Amino acid sequence: MRNTFRQSMAWLHTWAGLIVSWVLFAIFLGGTLACFDKELDYWMRPALHQLKPGPPSMDAAAKTLRGMAPNAETLYLRPPSDRDPSIRGFAFEPGKPYIDVALNPRDGALIPPTVGGNFFFVLHYNLQAGTLGIYLVGLAGMLMLLALISGVIIHRRVFKDFFVFRPRPGGQRAWLDGHNLTGVLGLPFHLMIAYTGVIIMMSSYMTAGVQIGYRGDMARYYEALSGTSHAVEQHRPPRRVASLDKILDDAVQRLGGAVEYLEIEHIHDASITISALSAGNDEVAGGRRNLIYDGTEGSFRGENEGPPTAYRTYQFLSGLHRVQFGGAAIRWLYFLLGATGCVMLATAAQVWIEKRTRQVEAAGLRSGYGLVRALNVGVIAGMPLASVSLLWANRLLPYELAGRAGMEAQSFCAIWLLATIWGVLRLRHGKPWRDLFGTTAALLFALPLMNALTQPHSSLLASIIARDWVLAGIDATALPFGLGFAWLAWISTRPRQLARRDPRMAPPRSSVARSETALPAVETP
Amino acid sequence: MSETSSGHLKRRTAVTPIYRLAVASRIIAALVGGYLVAYASAALLTVVLPMSRINRVVTASLLSFVVWTVVAIGVFAARNAWRCWWPLLAGGGVMLVLAFVFRNYGMRP
Amino acid sequence: MTMWLSLLALNYLSWACLCLAVARHYRQHFGVDPSPVRSRVLRIIGWLTTLLAYAISVRWRDWDIGSVDWCASWMLAAIAWVLLQPYRPRFARWLAFVGGAASLFALIFYPSPTLF
C-alpha cells in the first residue's frame, strides 16, 4: 500500500493535517491575536483611556480585590505597564469562579468587565473549554508537529523550489505554492511554536515524572519548581498589612526593572508574605528573581534562589512561545508569522479540496467532502468575522450592562455560528467565501469609525493627538487588514475551478492519475 | 477504477471503508499509542537521568514529547497494522514496568 | 525602529541575492543565465549580509533575544521577497538594493548607541 517512507509520510501529512486543520486554525488565529492581548484588553476598556497621570495605588486595588474575594488565601496584583495601564487583580476562592479583574490604577475602582483580548488568549490555549480544551489543544499541537515534519519529508524539492511562488496560473498550483511557501519559509517558527506550545502545558498531561518522582504530589512538585518556600501559618490574624505601594517601589529599585506581579500570601494570617516577581522582559525566559517581603512590616526579607536549571530551560522554551520579551517590535514579528501560519493552514485546506475536485463534485454536499468544505468556510472565513465582531460587540453593548463580558463572548459565538450557517447555505449556489471575507473587510474598515462614534475620546484621531500609540495602533491596524480581507473577497469572486471543470483543460493523463491519489502537498514534477 | 491495474498508487483512488479504518487505526496509534510510549519514557527517564530530582522530572517531561513525535512518525511508516501496534505496546509496557519496579530509586533527591 | 528596519532590509537583501544566485530565478528576472562568477558573487553577498544581520542583532540584544530577532526577521524577509518577486520583480530588486544600502548607511553613519 504505502511502500515508500515518503508515501507513508504523505499519508500522515494528509490525514493528520486534515483532522486537525480546523482546530489548529482556530488556535493559530487566537494565538496570533493574543500577541496583542494586553493591548486589546486596553482597547476594550474605554474607562482607562482618559486616566490622569499619576502613580498607581496598589493598596486601593488590593482593597477592592479583597472585597470581591473575602475568603481568598492568596491575591495577585499586576502593576500597570506600558502595554496596559490598569492594575490587574487575580484571586481564587474555593468553590467559586476564578476572579480576574481590571482595576483603575488611581483609585482601585472596578472597571466595567469585558472579556478583553484575554478572550483570544484563553481560546488559544484551551478553546474556552477548560481542562478538556487543554488536552485537545495539546493533541492538536502534537498533530501539528507531525504534520510539519512529514510535510518537510514529502516536499521533494524543498531547496529547489525554495523561492518559487506561481500565483498566475491559478487553481491548485497557486494554492500549493502558497502552502509550501508559508510552510517552508516559516518552518523554524512553526516548529518552535508547535513544540513549545505542546510543552507549555506539559504538567497537565505529561504527569509521569511527577507520579514517579513525587508520588503524584503536585503541590510539592510546584514548590520545587518555583524554588520558593512558604511561610508557616501562625493561626492568628495579622496586626496590620504593610503598604503595597512602598513594597512595589522598593522592589522596582532593587530589581532595577519592572515587577510582573505582587503576590500576597496568607492574607488572613500573621504569616502574611508579599513577594515581587521580576518581569524580566530583557530575557527570553522571563523573570527569575523573586523578592520576599514581610507582610506586616513591609521589610525586605530576602530573595529566592530561583528556579532549578531544567525549569529554566522550560521557562526559556515557554518564553519563546509566550513572547513577553523584547518589546512591541518582536510581538509584531510574531503576529505576522502567526498570520503566515493561518495562511499555511487555510491554503492546506484549499489544496485538499482542489486535489479531489472530481470526487467532491461527484459526491455532492451531503458527503465527507461536503463536510470538509463546510468546515473550511465556517472556520477559515467565519472565525475572522467573529473575532472582529467581538470588538464591535465590546463597543456596542452598554458598559453598565450586567454580565456584559458573557454577552460579548456569546456574540462572538453567535456570529461565528451564523457565519458558518450562511457559508454552508451558500456553498451550493453562491460565493460563501466572498460573502464572509467581504463582511469581515467591511467591519474592519468601519471599526475606527464605529469607535469614534461610540467612544469619541478613544477615536483614532483622539488617540493620535494624545500620542496613545497602543490605542491608535489597533484602529490603524484594522485598515490594512480590511484591505487584505477585501482582496481575499475579491479573489473569491473569480470563477471557481470546481464549477467549470472542462475536460479539455484537464492536465495530461499522468498527472491526473497522480492527483487522484491521496498524496497531499507534494510537488508534482 | 480504470487505472487499478497500472500500479499500486492508483489502488487508493477509491476511499473504501477498509482504507478509512486503516487511517483511523494509524491516527489512534500515533496519538494514543504515542502518548503511552511518551508517558512511559517520561517515567523511565525520571528514574534513570543523572540529575537532581526536580531536574529529572522536568527534563524527562520535555524529552517525552520528542519521543512521542518520533514514535508517531514510526507508526505511520510501519508496513502494516501489526508492525505498527506491537512495538508500541511492547516498548511502552516494558518501560512502564521498569519505571514502576525502580520507582523508589526515581524518588531520590 | 531603525534597528528593526535594518535587520529586515539586510535579511531581505540577503534573500534577494541568494535567490538571484540560482540560475533559474536569475533567468526569470533578466532573461539570461548568470555567469558563474556573478552567481558566486551573489551567493557570497547573500550569506555575508545575513551573517552581518545576525552579528548585529546579537550585538544589539544579546544571544537569546538577538537570535529571536534575527530568525523572525529572516523568515519574514524571505516571505516578503518570494511573495513580491512574481508580481513586481523590478520593485522587489529595487527594494532589496535601496533597503540594504539605506540600512548599511544608517549603521555606519548613525550607529545605535546600544550597538557600538
Side-chain angles (χ1 to χ4, degrees):
Chain A
M1 205 151 119
R2 301 155 305 281
N3 53 353
T4 70
F5 182 60
R6 186 170 261 161
Q7 277 169 343
S8 66
M9 288 301 103
W11 207 43
L12 168 60
H13 191 79
T14 310
W15 298 109
L18 182 73
I19 59 166
V20 82
S21 58
W22 304 290
V23 175
L24 212 50
F25 184 86
I27 298 170
F28 246 83
L29 185 56
T32 303
L33 294 169
C35 286
F36 292 111
D37 58 343
K38 290 176 185 167
E39 286 79 0
L40 286 167
D41 275 343
Y42 175 55
W43 190 90
M44 290 166 90
R45 292 192 172 96
L48 289 168
H49 298 169
Q50 286 179 294
L51 285 177
K52 293 176 195 71
S57 171
M58 303 297 282
D59 288 318
K63 200 174 156 202
T64 313
L65 191 58
R66 281 187 77 165
M68 296 180 72
N71 297 319
E73 283 288 315
T74 310
L75 302 181
Y76 295 90
L77 288 169
R78 192 178 78 199
S81 67
D82 301 342
R83 299 178 61 194
D84 180 3
S86 71
I87 296 178
R88 292 293 289 271
F90 306 90
F92 179 73
E93 280 184 301
K96 288 198 187 165
Y98 187 65
I99 291 178
D100 169 1
V101 289
L103 303 163
N104 189 312
R106 303 289 167 262
D107 55 12
L110 188 66
I111 284 169
T114 167
V115 286
N118 195 43
F119 180 81
F120 297 113
F121 176 58
V122 178
L123 191 70
H124 174 65
Y125 80 79
N126 73 7
L127 306 168
Q128 303 278 357
T131 314
L132 180 68
I134 291 180
Y135 297 155
L136 273 176
V137 172
L139 278 181
M142 274 312 292
L143 282 169
M144 178 178 172
L145 204 52
L146 295 179
L148 286 171
I149 293 170
S150 55
V152 175
I153 295 171
I154 61 176
H155 190 351
R156 49 190 87 196
R157 299 162 28 124
V158 178
F159 292 107
K160 240 182 182 172
D161 281 349
F162 204 75
F163 297 108
V164 173
F165 178 50
R166 290 155 290 191
R168 291 195 197 285
Q172 190 184 322
R173 167 49 46 79
W175 290 117
L176 186 54
D177 277 351
H179 178 64
N180 289 345
L181 166 76
T182 44
V184 172
L185 297 182
L187 189 68
F189 176 76
H190 299 317
L191 274 177
M192 177 280 283
I193 281 291
Y195 177 67
T196 56
V198 170
I199 59 114
I200 219 166
M201 284 290 179
M202 66 185 188
S203 52
S204 320
Y205 37 67
M206 192 50 77
T207 51
V210 184
Q211 293 296 343
I212 293 288
Y214 292 90
R215 288 285 183 276
D217 187 346
M218 288 307 265
R220 273 183 64 207
Y221 168 65
Y222 284 129
E223 205 164 295
L225 277 190
S226 62
T228 49
S229 46
H230 297 280
V232 184
E233 288 203 54
Q234 300 178 6
H235 302 289
R236 56 187 168 81
R239 279 182 294 117
R240 60 191 202 96
V241 177
S243 162
L244 295 175
D245 293 317
K246 283 189 186 144
I247 291 179
L248 181 62
D249 285 346
D250 186 76
V252 168
Q253 222 157 40
R254 279 178 202 274
L255 292 169
V259 167
E260 180 71 18
Y261 282 107
L262 286 183
E263 181 187 4
I264 309 152
E265 259 191 304
H266 297 174
I267 316 166
H268 308 292
D269 194 81
S271 62
I272 178 169
T273 308
I274 295 163
S275 41
L277 184 73
S278 66
N281 292 335
D282 51 350
E283 274 181 281
V284 171
R288 166 214 310 264
R289 299 177 64 189
N290 197 0
L291 308 181
I292 314 287
Y293 291 86
D294 185 297
T296 48
E297 304 301 328
S299 52
F300 178 62
R301 277 223 203 109
E303 194 171 337
N304 267 325
E305 55 183 293
T309 328
Y311 190 59
R312 201 63 190 151
T313 310
Y314 166 85
Q315 285 183 321
F316 178 83
L317 293 170
S318 64
L320 272 180
H321 191 105
R322 299 184 318 120
V323 65
Q324 301 298 306
F325 59 88
I330 206 150
R331 270 189 293 280
W332 271 107
L333 295 187
Y334 269 60
F335 180 78
L336 293 174
L337 287 166
T340 311
C342 293
V343 172
M344 172 181 76
L345 291 164
T347 48
Q350 210 57 40
V351 169
W352 195 92
I353 284 294
E354 300 266 351
K355 287 230 172 207
R356 292 162 181 76
T357 314
R358 278 212 248 149
Q359 291 99 309
V360 173
E361 243 173 324
L365 281 177
R366 284 190 193 180
S367 65
Y369 298 114
L371 179 69
V372 170
R373 288 181 63 198
L375 281 167
N376 280 354
V377 70
V379 175
I380 295 167
M383 188 176 163
L385 178 58
S387 305
V388 186
S389 307
L390 183 69
L391 297 185
W392 276 72
N394 172 271
R395 284 293 193 267
L396 294 180
L397 292 168
Y399 282 89
E400 308 77 40
L401 211 62
R404 71 186 302 281
M407 291 176 75
E408 284 173 354
Q410 281 158 12
S411 57
F412 173 89
C413 299
I415 297 283
W416 195 350
L417 196 66
L418 280 177
T420 308
I421 292 170
W422 177 264
V424 171
L425 289 180
R426 296 270 289 171
L427 265 183
R428 199 183 297 272
H429 306 289
K431 298 197 164 70
W433 293 91
R434 179 200 59 187
D435 301 347
L436 297 183
F437 283 147
T439 316
T440 311
L443 286 183
L444 280 167
F445 278 132
L447 186 74
L449 189 68
M450 184 273 300
N451 187 20
L453 289 177
T454 52
Q455 295 289 334
H457 301 294
S458 313
S459 72
L460 182 55
L461 196 64
S463 49
I464 288 176
I465 291 171
R467 307 177 76 81
D468 188 342
W469 302 125
V470 173
L471 200 55
I474 287 175
D475 279 34
T477 308
L479 298 174
F481 273 83
L483 268 183
F485 276 99
W487 178 74
L488 283 174
W490 178 69
I491 62 167
S492 337
T493 57
R494 290 193 304 202
R496 308 277 316 119
Q497 263 205 329
L498 208 63
R500 44 156 194 89
R501 184 83 173 201
D502 190 325
R504 280 165 302 174
M505 291 177 64
R509 192 185 147 78
S510 64
S511 74
V512 172
R514 282 200 71 103
S515 70
E516 280 182 31
T517 64
L519 285 178
V522 189
E523 270 297 335
T524 29
Chain B
M1 283 283 125
S2 58
E3 287 148 347
T4 313
S5 56
S6 55
H8 64 275
L9 263 177
K10 282 125 209 169
R11 232 175 288 149
R12 271 187 294 124
T13 37
V15 179
T16 57
I18 301 246
Y19 180 66
R20 286 194 182 142
L21 199 69
V23 170
S25 156
R26 293 298 165 111
I27 287 177
I28 290 170
L31 289 183
V32 180
Y35 177 74
L36 175 82
V37 176
Y39 189 91
S41 73
L44 188 62
L45 282 171
T46 303
V47 175
V48 299
L49 283 175
M51 315 169 180
S52 71
R53 174 162 57 168
I54 184 67
N55 285 332
R56 281 202 306 279
V57 172
V58 175
T59 311
S61 306
L62 286 175
L63 288 176
S64 68
F65 293 98
V66 179
V67 172
W68 191 346
T69 309
V70 173
V71 166
I73 286 184
V75 157
F76 270 85
R79 209 164 299 154
N80 54 44
W82 166 246
R83 286 198 185 201
C84 147
W85 275 100
W86 85 258
L88 277 186
L89 298 175
V94 167
M95 285 195 288
L96 264 188
V97 167
L98 281 176
F100 186 74
V101 168
F102 295 103
R103 65 190 183 283
N104 287 331
Y105 184 59
M107 277 191 73
R108 73 191 182 281
Chain C
M1 200 60 200
T2 321
M3 286 300 297
W4 281 105
L5 291 177
S6 304
L7 274 186
L8 276 169
L10 284 177
N11 276 322
Y12 183 84
L13 174 65
S14 150
W15 283 118
C17 291
L18 288 175
C19 179
L20 291 174
V22 180
R24 174 187 175 189
H25 297 299
Y26 191 93
R27 221 178 304 126
Q28 281 167 348
H29 275 260
F30 301 106
V32 289
D33 275 348
S35 68
V37 177
R38 180 166 294 188
S39 223
R40 179 163 302 166
V41 168
L42 280 170
R43 190 162 288 134
I44 291 171
I45 294 178
W47 285 113
L48 280 182
T49 37
T50 199
L51 267 179
L52 176 69
Y54 186 57
I56 289 170
S57 48
V58 165
R59 187 81 185 80
W60 177 36
R61 299 225 282 189
D62 223 337
W63 287 103
D64 55 347
I65 297 187
S67 301
V68 178
D69 285 339
W70 173 79
C71 197
S73 57
W74 188 66
M75 285 182 267
L76 282 173
I79 291 170
W81 165 259
V82 176
L83 282 182
L84 209 52
Q85 64 156 349
Y87 294 104
R88 295 271 179 280
R90 191 188 295 263
F91 175 71
R93 298 195 302 267
W94 178 85
L95 188 66
F97 183 73
V98 172
S103 63
L104 283 179
F105 181 83
L107 287 169
I108 293 168
F109 293 102
Y110 299 98
S112 158
T114 51
L115 203 56
F116 297 105

